[in-house]
Amino acid sequence: MMTDQPSLSTIDYGYTAVSDSPIKTTAITSAGTTIPRVAGHDPLGELAERIHKANQRFGKAFADWISVVGEQLKQARISLARKGSGNFERWCSDEIGWSPQYVRKLISAHETIERIRRTETIVSVLPSSESQCRELAKAPEELRVKAWQAAVAMAQETGKPPSANSVKQAVRNVSGPPRGERSMDRYIDVYRCG
């Protein structure tokens, strides 16, 4: 039995036009939400489609996935800014189903991984999660590769992949504690010595 309704397993981002009059079609996202579409060419719709396809294709290969998804998100943000009427945060929510906070984290992770890839230092293992990239981004840019290599070395000792906490520790080891913590240590030492 054939129905005109797409199933939840179907992802249809196409557009349909009948005799030059646009009609609404629907798309089922990977989250199972239905989004109404208006017929016509929409480059932002195509970017959303590419993001969903990359999400499916790369699965757990985070570095490859974030390279594609992060770049597509940046292109969407630029395109909407050029239009002057688009709201990137609303587009992310409506078209992809991701919160603006999550999208900002993904773009930041993309930029962090791309900076690591562009360095002259050969890095055999790249970050595999957004949380690792978030911690790594806290290091000064010139020390990020060194911090990442330290996190990988610490993880190899345990036989587990680097966690966000091990990256955080590596960042501290390489760049020292954050400025506010250093000054607090001084006050604590003064208090103890009294």
Side-chain angles (χ1 to χ4, degrees):
M1 178 174 155
M2 288 271 233
T3 65
D4 291 335
Q5 292 288 2
S7 69
L8 289 179
S9 63
T10 303
I11 297 180
D12 175 17
Y13 295 102
Y15 294 95
T16 305
V18 177
S19 61
D20 294 325
S21 66
I23 60 170
K24 289 189 175 189
T25 63
T26 58
I28 307 299
T29 67
S30 59
T33 57
T34 302
I35 301 169
R37 306 270 186 205
V38 176
H41 178 71
D42 180 9
L44 291 171
E46 292 174 8
L47 289 173
E49 178 182 0
R50 288 186 203 142
I51 290 169
H52 284 294
K53 285 181 180 178
N55 192 9
Q56 292 172 348
R57 184 172 58 237
F58 294 117
K60 294 188 184 221
F62 181 77
D64 292 335
W65 176 82
I66 198 64
S67 290
V68 173
V69 170
E71 190 59 38
Q72 297 299 321
L73 287 169
K74 286 172 63 175
Q75 285 181 14
R77 184 173 59 188
I78 291 167
S79 178
L80 285 164
R82 284 184 184 150
K83 281 185 171 182
S85 61
N87 182 323
F88 179 66
E89 292 178 349
R90 186 176 321 136
W91 179 83
C92 290
S93 179
D94 293 348
E95 293 292 324
I96 306 170
W98 292 342
S99 72
Q101 297 84 1
Y102 182 63
V103 170
R104 281 192 295 274
K105 289 176 183 179
L106 292 179
I107 290 173
S108 176
H110 164 69
E111 291 169 349
T112 298
I113 288 177
E114 292 307 310
R115 284 184 190 119
I116 291 172
R117 283 183 168 159
R118 285 191 302 254
T119 63
E120 294 177 11
T121 307
I122 296 174
V123 178
S124 60
V125 177
L126 290 170
S128 61
S129 71
E130 179 276 321
S131 59
Q132 291 171 337
C133 292
R134 188 176 346 124
E135 293 301 331
L136 197 55
K138 293 176 183 177
E141 190 169 340
E142 65 276 6
L143 296 175
R144 288 182 188 163
V145 171
K146 187 175 180 181
W148 177 247
Q149 289 173 324
V152 170
M154 287 188 322
Q156 286 175 343
E157 290 175 10
T158 65
K160 296 179 181 178
S163 66
N165 284 333
S166 64
V167 174
K168 183 177 186 174
Q169 184 61 45
V171 167
R172 286 179 140 219
N173 292 346
V174 169
S175 59
R179 189 175 195 171
E181 289 184 30
R182 264 187 256 147
S183 61
M184 286 302 293
D185 290 344
R186 190 184 80 209
Y187 290 118
I188 291 170
D189 290 343
V190 168
Y191 178 75
R192 287 182 187 154
C193 295

